[in-house]
Amino acid sequence: MRRRRIVQWLRYIAGAACCTYFVFLTARYIQTNRSQDDNSNEIHIFPDASVDINADHVSTDLGKKIDWHNYQFMSDESRRRGPGEQGSSVMTSGDEASKKDQLYKENGFNALASDKIALDRSVKDIRHTGCKTKLYYEHLPSVSVIVPFHNEHFSTLIRTATSVLNRSPEHLIKEIILVDDFSSKEALKDSLDAYLQEHLPKVRVVRAPKREGLIRARLLGAKAATGAVLIFLDSHSEANTNWLPPLLEPIAEDYRTATCPFIDIIDYETFEYRAQDEGARGAFDWELYYKRLPLLPEDLKNPTEPFKSPVMAGGLFAISRKFFWELGGYDEGLDVWGGEQYELSFKIWQCGGKLVDTPCSRVGHIYRKFAPFSNPGVGDFVGRNYRRVAEVWMDEYAEFVYKKRPHYKHIDAGDLSKQRALRENLKCKSFKWFMTEVAFDQMERYPPIEPPDFAWGEIRNVGGNLCIDTRFKSQNDRFNLEPCIKDNADNGGEQSFVLTWHKDIRPRGRAVCFDVSSSDNKTPVILYNCHNMQGNQQWKYNSDTKSLFHPVSSKCLDCDTERKEIFVNECDRSKLSQQWLFENYNVTLLLKL
Ligand code: UDP
Ligand code: MN
């Protein structure tokens, strides 16, 4: 399995310098090009004078540090066997195909697999071993868990709540609030209430009288919450072993600190529970896609300690109720989905708080295969949300966003006076401060204007006079040498490549990269989604020796001209099979590679 290879590979390069990180994040919703219409659907219900932000505040006496593990429960869980137990994968059989397809369409994941798994299934404890002996303060704040849902599948919704209740110290969970964002599925109405009453009495449902979108749904939940800390989860999550104390301790120490768990992957097809990586700092590019920045040397030295992160991924985080409302909650003008993770992260940092990721707290999340929801008729809501956030918080940096997406400038963002007044009243710092002090390496890694490429065009092997040809293959595929298209027009090949400023090689116009995941001789080169983090996708071209060097493995690109195979091998300048002619290159830039 690819991700297992990645984990091995990560181990292999763990000692290497700064750039050895990988990003495997599924984009959140795919942006649509739907046209804007003027049904902007403003509501003004938050914040509200009825919210007592000081009630049940974080205690100041934290007591001594204790071991919070529930060993009896952990031992019982470790003995469980059955479909999906221990976070294993579940296969659905061929004769269930039509049911499976229907549920896929409704959910964007294989909900049939979910139905085969116990609602209280066990998951693998994949925490860093150092987490298993860590102690946390004995007086931690009480929690309201808030889970917005719109037409969530019943079993994944219930599993979310069940995992929270089973894997948390009972006295810390004050309540779980499921916020029904105007779902239409029958199973989410009276029968949900009845199920909760019978099986999960700490869980209640707050229902929105009309479709609000996830941001206002979270606000509805937050408004109803009474715990000292608000924890937001998506409705298809599973909390892992002892997830709560590490998330709460930084907040108990300073109520202006917000925390995020590591987000693991629950596979959308099989429900296998696995890690996505071992941590990275959150960031964004100038199209406002969520991106990642490498951990800092001090973070790497303390793999079980919280580390600062510029922005949260979005759906899974904890914040004290007091600080959340001091920040005005979310901008209630944000519609449906998107942008709220930036709004809250910028506010947290710019208005006197801090945001950390806590490696010992892990929560699984189903990254959907596709978004199943229809547009609720409010036009380009993502663009509108981004414009609101950019206008209020990003100062002169908003221009970088507009350069990438000029049409945002023409979207009517609605009334921003309340957000601007909040920024003014809280005397929040500038976006420049955020970019300089918090996301200080983002400009370099995700520059608003892409630097020039190192080399481009065909890559011809000197030995065989053949060209690398990826033939429009996709992720995980190998590729070979073929007769060069220039010498043989119309052979259906893909032979135009770019050695980009990220130092990776990709077929022109595509985001898959030449990827090598072992340092063994003759390891084949495959295509894999570009992670922009160099590491195992970094290449160095020398136009004198004509070598294509792969620094992480210390190997060179080589080939078998008879079998037409491409792989990495011990570097040997004398071998013609290791000499490559890049059709065009920028000599000055190559010298800096
Ligand atoms: N959600 C909602 N209303 C909406 C869209 C989403 O309540 O209009 C809920 C959804 O059920 C989920 C959370 O908000 O619990 C985040 O949405 P989703 O999982 O689709 O986002 P993603 O994880 O793909 O970013
Ligand atoms: Mn989700």
Side-chain angles (χ1 to χ4, degrees), residues 28-29 148-150 181 211 213-214 234-236 337 365 368:
R28 297 186 71 185
Y29 282 12
F149 68 93
H150 175 72
D181 186 13
R211 176 86 178 270
L214 92 91
D234 272 12
S235 46
H236 33 255
W337 181 99
H365 169 256
R368 298 178 203 275

Side-chain angles (χ1 to χ4, degrees), residues 3 18 36 78 146 148 193 228 274 302 310 316 359 388 507 548 574-575:
R3 285 181 201 279
C18 66
Q36 165 80 3
S78 69
I146 298 163
D193 292 340
R274 59 174 186 260
N302 303 297
L316 289 68
R388 285 184 77 87
L548 264 166
S574 65
K575 275 169 102 177

Side-chain angles (χ1 to χ4, degrees), residues 551-569:
V552 163
S553 62
S554 286
K555 296 279 186 286
C556 284
L557 192 70
D558 199 352
C559 61
D560 179 329
T561 51
E562 292 302 308
R563 302 165 73 104
K564 299 189 175 168
E565 288 170 357
I566 301 171
F567 40 81
V568 289
N569 231 339

Side-chain angles (χ1 to χ4, degrees), residues 443-541:
M443 275 301 218
E444 189 194 334
R445 226 163 248 279
Y446 302 102
I449 297 157
E450 302 260 309
D453 300 322
F454 290 98
W456 61 99
E458 68 172 31
I459 308 175
R460 191 182 287 246
N461 182 259
V462 174
N465 197 31
L466 294 168
C467 281
I468 298 180
D469 193 333
T470 36
R471 302 198 86 79
F472 301 97
K473 288 182 170 185
S474 45
Q475 162 123 316
N476 275 323
D477 287 341
R478 293 169 69 155
F479 49 91
N480 293 323
L481 294 171
E482 298 290 344
C484 298
I485 290 181
K486 281 222 202 79
D487 308 339
N488 286 267
D490 289 339
N491 77 348
E494 184 182 43
Q495 298 189 0
S496 179
F497 299 97
V498 187
L499 175 53
T500 75
W501 69 273
H502 295 289
K503 304 182 182 174
D504 52 29
I505 303 178
R506 3 180 135 187
R508 179 170 286 287
R510 295 212 288 150
V512 282
C513 280
F514 288 16
D515 182 299
V516 178
S517 22
S518 149
S519 55
D520 297 342
N521 278 332
K522 295 222 165 176
T523 302
V525 182
I526 63 161
L527 292 174
Y528 200 80
N529 280 346
C530 302
H531 51 56
N532 304 339
M533 296 273 212
Q534 302 178 357
N536 70 329
Q537 294 183 348
Q538 182 182 351
W539 297 89
K540 211 169 165 170
Y541 183 56

Side-chain angles (χ1 to χ4, degrees), residues 26-30 107 109 146-153 157 179-183 211-218 233-237 313-316 335-338 340-341 365-368 370-374 376 381:
T26 314
R28 297 186 71 185
Y29 282 12
I30 289 137
N107 297 288
F109 57 78
I146 298 163
V147 181
F149 68 93
H150 175 72
N151 280 336
E152 182 62 56
H153 189 65
L157 177 65
V179 187
D180 177 5
D181 186 13
F182 207 56
S183 300
R211 176 86 178 270
E212 296 289 3
L214 92 91
I215 298 127
R216 288 192 296 269
R218 279 190 200 144
L233 297 179
D234 272 12
S235 46
H236 33 255
S237 307
L316 289 68
D335 246 327
V336 187
W337 181 99
E340 88 290 352
Q341 76 277 41
H365 169 256
I366 306 174
Y367 289 88
R368 298 178 203 275
F370 53 85
F373 309 127
S374 56
F381 51 85

